[in-house]
């Protein structure tokens, strides 16, 4: 059985393809510019999310007067899960493919740009209520900051295990720059995916709860995004079941959804066991 390339090998192949591609022509420079845009928006959105929730959503740029701020915040909060889920459907994928020239190749990059812009809007444009329920101090502050940092590191690890090139949007623009068809990573079963089936969604939800400041704003964000993180993977798993068939069924049977088992079933084979 041929072992699929690992995470690092795939990234090195993508980078090598970009570096060895002819550095001329509109396709190459267009792909490179789109990649810079993608990763810039991605970085700014993550930074905005980290900072906003570190202050319990009590510090942001939104200045909508109340009570209209409640409606504005609700729209900001709902737009992310709704659009994010829509773009993951077959119809949404078709829209992504038609948005730009070479849209099929750039679909993962376009998806990352849109998702990053949504997160940036949510966390940068939120209008704070001004109510603070609890703010960690002293040893509690250091404990909560440690937990907060740990939840983000867990999210980074889960994203890497799923395929960093897809999660970051690099797969699309790098494939176009190299003149190659995007090669998607195999169904994730290693790393954190050996423990639970949805580590990205679980880690994302944890970032909303392990915060050092609690406000009504943070509670609304945590409840909404956690509900999304628990429900959205159901649609994702339907796609995986259709794509991978019996292989996903076996993975589904041996790996819990969101909460890890305290002890692995002894008779549950691990990936690769029983094969030659």
């Amino acid at each position: 059985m041929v072992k699929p390339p690992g995470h690092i090998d795939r990234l090195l192949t993508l980078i090598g393809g970009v570096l060895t591609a002819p550095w001329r022509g509109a396709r190459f420079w267009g792909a490179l510019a789109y990649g810079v845009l993608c990763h810039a928006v991605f970085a700014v959105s993550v930074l905005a999310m980290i900072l906003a929730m570190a202050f319990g959503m009590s510090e942001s740029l939104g200045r909508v007067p109340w009570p209209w701020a409640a409606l504005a915040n609700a729209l900001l909060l709902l737009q992310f899960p709704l659009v994010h889920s829509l773009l993951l459907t077959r119809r949404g994928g078709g829209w992504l493919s038609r948005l730009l020239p070479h849209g099929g190749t750039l679909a993962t990059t376009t998806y990352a740009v849109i998702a990053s812009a949504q997160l940036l809007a949510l966390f940068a444009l939120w209008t704070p209520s001004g109510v603070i329920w609890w703010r960690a101090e002293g040893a509690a502050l250091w404990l909560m900051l440690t937990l907060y940092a740990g939840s983000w590191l867990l999210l980074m690890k889960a994203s890497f295990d799923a395929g960093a090139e897809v999660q970051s949007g690099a797969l699309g623009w790098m494939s176009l720059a190299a003149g190659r068809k995007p090669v998607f990573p195999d169904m994730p079963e290693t790393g954190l995916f050996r423990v639970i089936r949805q580590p990205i969604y679980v880690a994302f939800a944890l970032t909303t709860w392990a915060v050092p400041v609690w406000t009504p704003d943070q509670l609304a964000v945590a409840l909404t995004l956690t509900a999304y993180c628990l429900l959205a993977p159901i649609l994702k798993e339907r796609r995986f079941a259709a794509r991978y068939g019996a292989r996903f069924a076996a993975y589904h049977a041996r790996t819990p959804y969101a909460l890890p088992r305290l002890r692995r079933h002894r008779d549950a084979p691990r990936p690769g066991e029983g094969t030659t």
Side-chain angles (χ1 to χ4, degrees), residues 169-200:
L171 178 61
W173 78 264
M174 283 190 168
S175 298
L176 181 62
R180 301 174 179 177
K181 183 178 179 180
V183 178
F184 286 83
D186 194 19
M187 185 183 83
E189 298 179 81
T190 60
L192 293 177
F193 286 86
R194 293 171 68 96
V195 182
I196 55 176
R197 301 199 303 274
Q198 302 300 334
I200 292 180

Side-chain angles (χ1 to χ4, degrees), residues 124-146:
L125 301 181
W126 185 273
T127 299
S129 67
V131 177
I132 296 179
W133 286 335
W134 178 76
R135 189 191 304 272
E137 297 178 353
L141 175 60
W142 289 107
L143 174 61
M144 294 309 300
L145 288 176
T146 300

Side-chain angles (χ1 to χ4, degrees), residues 1 3-4 189-190 194 247 254 269-276:
M1 181 178 180
K3 183 179 179 180
E189 298 179 81
T190 60
R194 293 171 68 96
R247 182 182 169 197
R254 69 173 179 265
R270 297 184 178 185
E273 291 183 351
T275 60
T276 57

